[in-house]
Amino acid sequence: MHVTIVSHRVVAPLRAARAPRDAAKAPRPAVTTRARPTTLRRARVSRARASTPRATREDARDDAPRARARTPRAVGGSMDDAAVVDARAGWRATLETTAAKWRPTVELGALFAGWYYFSIAFNVYQKALLKAVPMPLTATFLELAIGSALVAASWGLGAKARPDVKTSMLKPIATLGMVHMLGNALTNVSLGKVAVSFTHTVKALEPVFSVGLSAIFLGNIPSLAMCASLVPIIAGVMIASATEVSFNMAGFLSAMGSNLTFQSRNVLSKFVMTGDDMKKLDYVNLLGVLTIASTVFALPLALAFESSKMNVASIVAGGMPLAVAGKNLFMAALCFQLYQQLSFMVLSRVNPVTHSVGNSLKRVAVIAASVIIFRNPVSTTNIIGTALAIFGVILYGRVKKQKSA
């Protein structure tokens, strides 16, 4: 057996030459890195899904929205929600306060608008009817009868509390009802004879009759300023009458008679509205009972003067079909009742002077609308006279307000 002994001088170089190749073949040590939280959660979810049956996962998915709904929010979120609720409550309170503040003004404006609109509509329908069917007294009776039916319906349906009319109230109601009927009948006669604009220009003289009757029957002596305010009214009506194309003496006198009767009604009310039972009537119910009483007095007046015309041939002789005449009659009656009620509702909310000024402006609206719709020929002088009369009425209202203050 031979033993070979190799010197370390020979082995050492060989080992040195083989060391790089051994180092290349050796595996590299693993580098330890910190895993991201998202990666860890995904890994946990993956392991949980792998170990959870599919049916159990579907049940958990269905219960997840309910679980979230039951889970309370964080403290910061609850504070934000409370702030939002407080802000909404504050806005709601502000809106309610603003609405309560402006509601009376808006309601009054709506009443004025309705009053003007139905007044214009009444004059338009009435003029169209009377122009083709010249039966003003019959039209007055039928319109009051339709108004009475509407009043009774409002009482029967509970829209308005029915007044307790006692025997002691019948005489004053009959007196005022008679005058109320005459005023409306004379107005309709004037509308049938002359233009709507001229009728309302003449009716601007109402303050003159009011001052005169109050001085005669109530002893109210007018001041110098009040008498001065009547001058432009009288001058304006005289100018308008002198230049009115459709001037007719019967129409002029009927409008003047309407002024006299309506202002007499106002003076008479001071004498007959004295009992406690009469004072309990509000404006709307007073108009209702006067409408019913007026209907009773209007029937014999229509039969006495227009019974010979109460036939189909006379009605359609003016060229208006019977159906159209019936429609105009009903619409005129409806608009008349509505504008009268709205006028009384406005009067219940404002002082008489404000109501008088509003009534004067209503006449301006009616005159302008009638000129546009019926295309009545008007001259510049006629316009100046009408404007002067309306200005005098407004001035009279201002003077009356200062006197009452």
Side-chain angles (χ1 to χ4, degrees), residues 197-212:
S197 57
F198 182 64
T199 297
H200 283 274
T201 300
V202 175
K203 286 179 70 65
L205 285 169
E206 283 183 350
V208 178
F209 287 89
S210 177
V211 171

Side-chain angles (χ1 to χ4, degrees), residues 73-87:
R73 294 185 177 184
V75 176
S78 300
M79 293 177 64
D80 293 341
D81 291 346
V84 171
V85 171
D86 292 341

Side-chain angles (χ1 to χ4, degrees), residues 131 195 197-198 240 243-247 370-380 382-383:
K131 189 176 181 180
S197 57
F198 182 64
T243 58
E244 175 60 37
V245 177
S246 66
F247 181 84
S370 66
V371 170
I372 294 172
I373 294 173
F374 295 109
R375 299 182 179 180
N376 299 325
V378 290
S379 62
T380 304
N382 188 270
I383 295 174

Side-chain angles (χ1 to χ4, degrees), residues 164-173 272 275-278:
D164 185 15
V165 179
K166 298 180 180 179
T167 308
S168 60
M169 302 168 61
L170 295 180
K171 184 177 179 179
I173 289 175
V272 301
D276 294 336
D277 294 329
M278 290 296 296

Side-chain angles (χ1 to χ4, degrees), residues 64-340:
R66 290 190 292 271
R68 285 194 298 269
R70 291 192 299 267
T71 304
R73 294 185 177 184
V75 176
S78 300
M79 293 177 64
D80 293 341
D81 291 346
V84 171
V85 171
D86 292 341
R88 289 177 178 175
W91 278 105
R92 189 180 295 108
T94 303
L95 290 175
E96 290 176 354
T97 302
T98 305
K101 177 182 178 181
W102 287 98
R103 185 178 292 112
T105 304
V106 173
E107 291 178 352
L108 184 60
L111 290 176
F112 266 100
W115 179 22
Y116 284 23
Y117 172 79
F118 287 113
S119 180
I120 293 172
F122 162 72
N123 283 275
V124 170
Y125 282 115
Q126 192 77 331
K127 181 60 180 179
L129 175 66
L130 295 176
K131 189 176 181 180
V133 187
M135 299 170 62
L137 301 180
T138 303
T140 301
F141 163 70
L142 293 175
E143 288 165 2
L144 290 172
I146 294 173
S148 299
L150 294 174
V151 170
S154 66
W155 290 341
L157 296 175
K160 183 67 178 175
R162 184 176 63 86
D164 185 15
V165 179
K166 298 180 180 179
T167 308
S168 60
M169 302 168 61
L170 295 180
K171 184 177 179 179
I173 289 175
T175 303
L176 295 177
M178 170 66 79
V179 180
H180 183 74
M181 182 274 298
L182 287 175
N184 286 296
L186 290 171
T187 299
N188 288 338
V189 171
S190 179
L191 288 174
K193 297 291 184 180
V194 296
V196 175
S197 57
F198 182 64
T199 297
H200 283 274
T201 300
V202 175
K203 286 179 70 65
L205 285 169
E206 283 183 350
V208 178
F209 287 89
S210 177
V211 171
L213 292 173
S214 297
I216 295 172
F217 295 101
L218 301 178
N220 296 331
I221 306 301
S223 63
L224 183 61
M226 184 171 292
C227 291
S229 67
L230 300 178
V231 173
I233 302 176
I234 299 173
V237 172
M238 291 177 63
I239 294 172
S241 300
T243 58
E244 175 60 37
V245 177
S246 66
F247 181 84
N248 179 282
M249 185 57 69
F252 174 77
L253 293 178
S254 298
M256 294 287 284
S258 174
N259 289 334
L260 178 62
T261 52
F262 278 130
Q263 296 309 311
S264 299
R265 181 193 62 184
N266 295 340
V267 173
L268 283 172
S269 64
K270 303 290 185 180
F271 293 99
V272 301
M273 298 285 291
T274 55
D276 294 336
D277 294 329
M278 290 296 296
K279 291 180 179 180
K280 291 179 181 179
L281 289 175
D282 58 17
Y283 288 109
V284 176
N285 276 334
L286 177 60
L287 175 63
V289 295
L290 291 183
T291 301
I292 296 174
S294 299
T295 306
V296 176
F297 293 112
L299 178 58
L301 189 66
L303 291 174
F305 290 93
E306 296 177 352
S307 58
S308 61
K309 300 180 182 179
M310 294 181 183
N311 54 74
V312 177
S314 299
I315 295 173
V316 299
M320 179 177 287
L322 187 62
V324 177
K327 173 193 172 185
N328 287 344
L329 176 68
F330 177 79
M331 292 303 298
L334 179 63
C335 293
F336 172 77
Q337 193 66 27
L338 289 175
Y339 103 74
Q340 290 274 18

Side-chain angles (χ1 to χ4, degrees), residues 382-395:
N382 188 270
I383 295 174
I384 293 174
T386 302
L388 183 61
I390 298 299
F391 168 75
V393 174
I394 297 175
L395 183 62

